[in-house]
Amino acid sequence: MAGEDSDGSSVVLVADDEAELAKLYAHWLDDSYEVLVATGGEEALDLATEEVDVALLDRRMPSMTGDEVLSALRDRGIDCRVAMITAVEPDVDIVEMPFDDYLVKPVSREELHSVVEVLLSRAKFDNRTQEFFALASKKATLESADKDGASDEYERLTTRMSEIRSELDETLSQYSSEDFEAAFRELPSESGFDPLE
């Protein structure tokens, strides 16, 4: 990967204003990745370079929220995979946010490792396919939070997924089933989405 450090490890940025929690996440991950820790949004942006492969952002941080950090990352053209890890229950506002995955606190060590592994595996796909993965994750997140009702946002999400899926059928066939299993490992099975169909 482009962001790998000199010993070949992928680089993960952890941003959470709860310093002890940020350190815990770093401790959980530092056996497998180079981990950068920020305890605020501004610090996260200072650490965010093209070397970062995955960013794990808390949505609720004082002075600069995770949502604002996410927007600034995208404005700067930093193309790392992003998961929001937060106590904020997901709602349809997440549909338009340019992240790849969403975890609600508390998260376990296994969940944290899983989301990083999944996002790293998704990075090998092209932008269109990555958009499809992100939409699938948002759909599963909303469904698991019972937020998949008759909202315009949810309808747009499912319509967009269908459009991209039909465009990508040929592209998707170029990847192995192992690639898909790695890219969708953490999606709840009850989402009803099977990327291999």
Side-chain angles (χ1 to χ4, degrees), residues 13-34:
L13 170 62
V14 173
D16 198 304
D17 63 302
E18 294 181 53
E20 291 305 311
L21 190 56
K23 286 181 196 169
L24 178 63
Y25 291 168
H27 175 70
W28 286 349
L29 295 170
D30 68 8
D31 59 334
S32 303
Y33 310 105
E34 178 187 345

Side-chain angles (χ1 to χ4, degrees), residues 27-84:
H27 175 70
W28 286 349
L29 295 170
D30 68 8
D31 59 334
S32 303
Y33 310 105
E34 178 187 345
V35 183
L36 309 175
V37 177
T39 55
E42 295 88 350
E43 185 182 3
L45 284 178
D46 288 343
L47 294 172
T49 66
E50 291 297 329
E51 297 302 305
V52 173
D53 296 294
V54 173
L56 307 176
L57 304 177
D58 181 20
R59 285 190 79 180
R60 272 193 195 140
M61 293 187 285
S63 73
M64 186 174 208
T65 67
D67 297 12
E68 292 167 330
V69 173
L70 174 61
S71 180
L73 288 174
R74 297 312 186 215
D75 288 347
R76 290 182 182 183
I78 295 175
D79 193 33
C80 61
R81 303 301 90 219
V82 176
M84 307 305 280

Side-chain angles (χ1 to χ4, degrees), residues 25 28-29 33 56 83 85 101-119 185-186:
Y25 291 168
W28 286 349
L29 295 170
Y33 310 105
L56 307 176
I85 300 184
D101 218 322
Y102 197 101
L103 297 178
V104 177
K105 293 177 181 176
V107 297
S108 69
R109 181 181 193 139
E110 293 72 26
E111 288 174 307
L112 204 64
H113 267 277
S114 177
V115 77
V116 171
E117 289 168 17
V118 164
L119 294 185
R185 179 180 351 200
E186 93 296 356

